[in-house]
Amino acid sequence: MERMSLVGSLVAAAVLVPHASAMAANTDPDWPCVQRKVPQLSLGQVWNGPDLPPAAKDWSEDPSVSALVEEVAARRLPIADAQKKIRDFAASVPAGQLAPKMAMLEQGMFDHMDAERSHVISGISRYAHRQLEMAAELRKQASDVDALRAKPDADQDEVERRTDQLNFATRIFNERAQSLTYVCDVPTIIEQRLYQLSKTVSETLAPKK
């Protein structure tokens, strides 16, 4: 039973294997999340307003727009507060500058948050790859401890020491695996925030009734 407990403690490695439906949807076999891997977004996924002019790409050269992009993109800022900042900004802009300013804001939010999302996805992939390496290491350690225990003349103190090491490493592995399940939600959270903020920008451009 003790041997089975060592091997059984590694069952957590299964969290790194995508479900069959996720594997069918993903082209990366090492992607650990149930959510489909989409490294980059397209503007059309989050923006349903008018086409953005080429000048919108110069958003970083406008201090007021650039500062607002940084503010509203930060996930620590409640979405309602971020939306209010966008509306307040739109209300402060002269009518003749509203459309170009809001186009720059939309382009800026998209560029900033899509880059952040891609960075998170890259981090998830690196994290998951390390988990796979750790799982292999743990399986080897478990096998070594089992082999040591099976020896008639095994040093019981050594067996206990290595078992404790294995249990500690397994606990760290499981904690990392649990953290990974939460991190997998972050790209979706960023995408949803971007969509909500983009909708707010679009509403500021709607004709007043």
Side-chain angles (χ1 to χ4, degrees):
M1 292 297 293
E2 189 173 7
R3 181 179 188 278
M4 288 299 293
S5 67
L6 287 175
V7 176
S9 67
L10 301 180
V11 170
V15 301
L16 291 171
V17 181
H19 298 296
S21 59
M23 292 181 68
N26 288 311
T27 57
D28 184 351
D30 294 331
W31 180 244
C33 304
V34 174
Q35 298 90 337
R36 188 165 64 95
K37 182 180 181 181
V38 181
Q40 290 184 304
L41 298 174
S42 66
L43 184 62
Q45 289 176 260
V46 296
W47 176 246
N48 59 3
D51 290 343
L52 301 184
K57 293 185 180 297
D58 297 330
W59 63 270
S60 61
E61 298 177 12
D62 186 307
S64 62
V65 171
S66 181
L68 185 57
V69 166
E70 292 285 343
E71 283 187 277
V72 301
R75 297 196 303 281
R76 64 180 178 274
L77 180 69
I79 188 68
D81 292 346
Q83 290 171 318
K84 183 177 185 303
K85 284 181 177 292
I86 290 173
R87 296 189 190 101
D88 289 347
F89 177 76
S92 71
V93 174
Q97 298 180 24
L98 179 62
K101 286 281 189 179
M102 301 313 286
M104 292 174 74
L105 176 60
E106 176 60 29
Q107 185 70 58
M109 292 192 309
F110 178 80
D111 290 349
H112 186 287
M113 297 175 74
D114 186 46
E116 178 189 11
R117 183 179 172 281
S118 295
H119 180 73
V120 171
I121 288 174
S122 296
I124 290 173
S125 295
R126 291 192 299 271
Y127 194 98
H129 184 71
R130 177 53 185 154
Q131 283 293 92
L132 290 172
E133 293 177 342
M134 289 178 68
E137 292 169 4
L138 288 172
R139 285 192 291 270
K140 182 180 183 304
Q141 289 180 35
S143 177
D144 290 346
V145 170
D146 289 342
L148 178 62
R149 182 182 293 104
K151 293 182 179 179
D153 59 345
D155 182 337
Q156 293 306 309
D157 289 340
E158 177 67 7
V159 170
E160 182 176 356
R161 184 184 68 81
R162 293 181 63 175
T163 298
D164 287 345
Q165 287 179 340
L166 176 61
N167 288 337
F168 179 76
T170 301
R171 185 164 65 251
I172 296 300
F173 174 88
N174 288 339
E175 290 173 356
R176 283 173 54 90
Q178 185 63 40
S179 296
L180 185 57
T181 63
Y182 295 117
V183 175
C184 280
D185 287 332
V186 175
T188 300
I189 291 171
I190 295 173
E191 181 178 350
Q192 291 173 343
R193 184 181 183 88
L194 176 57
Y195 174 79
Q196 290 176 291
L197 296 181
S198 296
K199 183 178 179 182
T200 302
V201 172
S202 179
E203 289 170 353
T204 67
L205 294 173
K208 299 294 188 295
K209 295 181 180 180

